[in-house]
Amino acid sequence: MAIEFRIHHLEDVESTNRVARELVLDGAGEDLVVVAGTQSKGRGRLDRSWESPEGGLWFSIILRPDIEPDMVPSLNIIGALSVARVLRNDYDMDARVKWPNDVRVEGRKICGILSEMFRGRSGDMFLVIGIGLNANIDVSCFSKDIRVRTTSIKNERGVEVDLDTLLNSILTQFGTLCSDMFSGGFPAVLSEHRSLVESIGSRVRVRPVPPEEAFEGIAVGMDRRGALVVELDDGRNRCVLEGDVDLV
Ligand code: BTN
């Protein structure tokens, strides 16, 4: 493993991203992973809540990456690709990526990622990458609107998996991909990610973040930062670094 992560196990927390932030402000340092059995106030992207019952893998990775702010999405890409690799290679699942970083199986979401950047005590920038993976969960326990578009390893494979093994495998992939990225191998990482992104080549509707008017076009690829490149109807290309994308 390219990064030696320290793992901090907790039972029930509000949100592992929140604990991670508190630990950093207490001076905990980087390359630490906070993992919890359940979250009472799990948070998703765009201020949504994230249901986090027992059986899921809920964790946050604390990093202090030496990168430009516009490269932060590249670490989300690495997170999504790490999960997709493990689901594909170790659990024989056809895991794909819904840009930017949802991991889906047969069109249903199995994993989401929420990254947050903030300054530590000394003013250094820290990044917390929160990953929620529906592992040993029966999706019938989720609320109705979530259940219909969600799946889990248990639902797909019919078995429960060892959560520590799953976490270690994802962290190994994450560490390897980070070291590839920092040694100049990000184009290869992006090309593997691109090959798994569902919407490339399709017509999409994009709702950018921060909010701007939604627009449609053909998703044609990703740029060097991992931004989605959308060809508009007038032939111009528009890049989106953050937002929600749906097939139309
Ligand atoms: C999303 O798809 O909206 C992102 C969901 C991210 C959920 C994870 S679970 C671990 C970490 N702690 C949180 O409160 N959220 C992230």
Side-chain angles (χ1 to χ4, degrees):
M1 184 158 78
I3 305 177
E4 282 296 320
F5 289 106
R6 292 165 294 139
I7 300 181
H8 190 61
H9 280 274
L10 296 165
E11 279 183 14
D12 179 45
V13 297
E14 280 195 2
S15 153
T16 55
N17 271 31
R18 183 174 174 162
V19 174
R21 184 188 187 110
E22 285 162 1
L23 287 172
V24 168
L25 295 175
D26 281 350
E30 62 196 300
D31 301 341
L32 180 65
V33 176
V34 180
V35 54
T38 56
Q39 299 184 115
S40 54
K41 288 192 185 153
R43 288 188 288 117
R45 289 175 62 233
L46 312 177
D47 268 337
R48 296 170 186 145
S49 65
W50 181 263
E51 294 183 23
S52 319
E54 202 177 329
L57 186 58
W58 321 124
F59 66 103
S60 299
I61 305 172
I62 301 171
L63 297 172
R64 197 171 46 171
D66 185 17
I67 53 174
E68 296 298 322
D70 74 341
M71 288 304 284
V72 168
S74 62
L75 286 158
N76 297 335
I77 284 174
I78 283 179
L81 189 52
S82 308
V83 173
R85 273 189 178 181
V86 169
L87 295 180
R88 296 177 77 82
N89 300 344
D90 300 358
Y91 299 93
D92 197 25
M93 296 167 70
D94 186 18
R96 307 207 155 257
V97 177
K98 178 174 184 274
W99 188 92
N101 41 45
D102 286 355
V103 181
R104 307 209 304 176
V105 175
E106 306 288 346
R108 287 172 176 249
K109 182 160 169 172
I110 196 164
C111 172
I113 299 182
L114 172 69
S115 299
E116 297 177 293
M117 226 177 164
F118 57 92
R119 286 195 189 279
R121 281 194 308 197
S122 53
D124 295 352
M125 289 308 292
F126 280 84
L127 181 64
V128 169
I129 303 177
I131 301 185
L133 173 56
N134 302 333
N136 300 330
I137 295 179
D138 192 329
V139 293
S140 61
C141 79
F142 286 125
S143 53
K144 214 159 124 201
D145 56 324
I146 292 182
R147 197 185 304 158
V148 291
R149 49 191 167 82
T150 296
T151 191
S152 68
I153 299 180
K154 184 174 175 178
N155 273 84
E156 295 297 320
R157 307 292 303 146
V159 290
E160 300 211 340
V161 299
D162 183 76
L163 292 181
D164 288 333
T165 307
L166 181 62
L167 175 63
N168 283 325
S169 305
I170 294 169
L171 293 176
T172 301
Q173 291 295 345
F174 190 91
T176 304
L177 286 164
C178 278
S179 99
D180 290 350
M181 169 172 151
F182 290 119
S183 58
F186 194 54
V189 174
L190 261 186
S191 117
E192 184 180 342
H193 177 264
R194 189 184 295 117
S195 73
L196 296 178
V197 172
E198 294 168 334
S199 47
I200 303 286
S202 303
R203 189 166 182 87
V204 292
R205 181 173 175 76
V206 183
R207 280 166 290 145
V209 172
E212 273 180 61
E213 203 171 326
F215 62 93
E216 289 187 12
I218 308 289
V220 289
M222 289 182 325
D223 72 8
R224 62 163 196 94
R225 303 161 300 170
L228 189 70
V229 182
V230 179
E231 188 182 304
L232 307 177
D233 294 341
D234 63 8
R236 282 179 306 133
N237 280 351
R238 182 159 167 190
C239 297
V240 201
L241 252 184
E242 221 201 316
D244 262 351
V245 171
D246 290 303
L247 295 178
V248 287

